[in-house]
Amino acid sequence: MIMQKKFDEHFPDLEVKEGHMLLTDLTVETFTAIFNAPDIGVPKKILEIGFNAGHSAFGFLEMFPETVVHSIDLGRHTYTRPCAQKIQSIFGERFKFGVKNSHDITPDNIIGENYDMVYIDGDHSKKGISNDYDICNKAKVEWILIDDYNLFRNIRELVDHIHISSDHPYTVRARIKFDNNVLLKDPEAKEHHRMTTAILLQRTGTTDETIQ
């Protein structure tokens, strides 16, 4: 829990209203093992869709010292902006935040910033997750990390379709399980609620099929 303690020291009175990544030793070990693999590699520049209180952004920036993270969020919670400002003060130019709806992002925005990975953890509705994937697909982002695969049927159906369909240029490269905050609230929670599964997609083809 070393990294989680670091986060808590920066935000001692933070009360988060939404589920979020818990920066346990298991979470850190899992992410570092995946992205330090020679056939995957550490992402250089990440666009994060869905910041909330910044646990995942903080984790990426701490785990990968050369990585740059840009996060966007709707900013519905009062703690979101102050958390983003604090993380920016900690990591400086390696972090940037904006209050923005991902529906307002275009493929050109992603191409212009040269993101090599997009972390999708925003709107979990069918329309929302499909929109975020379509933008990444049209921008030809190499890696897409989609959160909450085990918790939302819309996400499972999208990922499974992408993986098996010859009309889509992405395939599943890794299933990343990490702790979430439910573990603190209920140590007896069922496994699929205690752990979050994120799916790492790699672009391996050339088609640009849009999800309907």
Side-chain angles (χ1 to χ4, degrees):
M1 294 285 286
I2 295 175
M3 189 174 295
Q4 183 63 46
K5 288 180 180 179
K6 283 185 178 181
F7 182 92
D8 293 338
E9 287 172 0
H10 291 296
F11 306 97
D13 301 317
L14 178 63
E15 294 185 9
V16 185
K17 296 180 180 179
E18 293 186 357
H20 55 272
M21 180 187 293
L22 192 63
L23 300 171
T24 64
D25 295 340
L26 173 61
T27 298
V28 174
E29 290 169 5
T30 301
F31 273 92
T32 53
I34 292 293
F35 289 107
N36 280 317
D39 59 336
I40 294 179
V42 175
K44 297 179 179 63
K45 195 172 187 180
I46 300 172
L47 170 63
E48 178 186 47
I49 298 175
F51 174 81
N52 192 24
H55 292 81
S56 52
F58 183 90
F60 286 130
L61 292 162
E62 278 281 337
M63 284 184 278
F64 310 122
E66 303 300 320
T67 297
V68 171
V69 177
H70 291 174
S71 298
I72 63 169
D73 194 279
L74 294 176
R76 291 174 175 171
H77 300 302
T78 57
Y79 55 75
T80 297
R81 290 177 179 84
C83 286
Q85 291 169 356
K86 182 64 176 181
I87 290 179
Q88 191 163 35
S89 73
I90 297 168
F91 297 102
E93 294 182 354
R94 293 179 55 216
F95 177 74
K96 186 165 65 176
F97 173 79
V99 175
K100 193 170 188 176
N101 191 319
S102 61
H103 288 261
D104 297 327
I105 295 176
T106 68
D108 287 342
N109 295 147
I110 295 178
I111 294 170
E113 289 285 355
N114 199 30
Y115 298 113
D116 57 341
M117 190 178 90
V118 176
Y119 178 35
I120 299 176
D121 187 23
D123 184 350
H124 292 354
S125 69
K126 182 177 181 179
K127 180 179 180 181
I129 189 69
S130 297
N131 171 79
D132 292 345
Y133 165 76
D134 287 339
I135 293 169
C136 296
N137 183 16
K138 291 173 182 176
K140 297 180 172 59
V141 176
E142 182 177 3
W143 300 96
I144 304 174
L145 182 62
I146 302 180
D147 204 358
D148 293 327
Y149 173 84
N150 59 319
L151 301 178
F152 293 88
R153 188 176 73 176
N154 289 329
I155 296 177
R156 288 195 297 276
E157 290 178 348
L158 172 69
V159 169
D160 293 346
H161 172 70
I162 292 168
H163 182 59
I164 65 174
S165 174
S166 59
D167 293 328
H168 292 277
Y170 289 89
T171 188
V172 173
R173 282 299 314 277
R175 296 172 185 264
I176 306 172
K177 290 187 177 182
F178 57 89
D179 289 317
N180 63 41
N181 67 310
V182 175
L183 179 64
L184 288 179
K185 295 180 179 178
D186 183 8
E188 302 300 321
K190 293 182 180 179
E191 180 71 13
H192 72 286
H193 287 144
R194 289 180 58 246
M195 303 289 292
T196 297
T197 300
I199 303 297
L200 182 65
L201 301 175
Q202 181 183 19
R203 189 175 184 88
T204 56
T206 58
T207 57
D208 297 318
E209 183 74 9
T210 298
I211 296 290
Q212 301 297 324

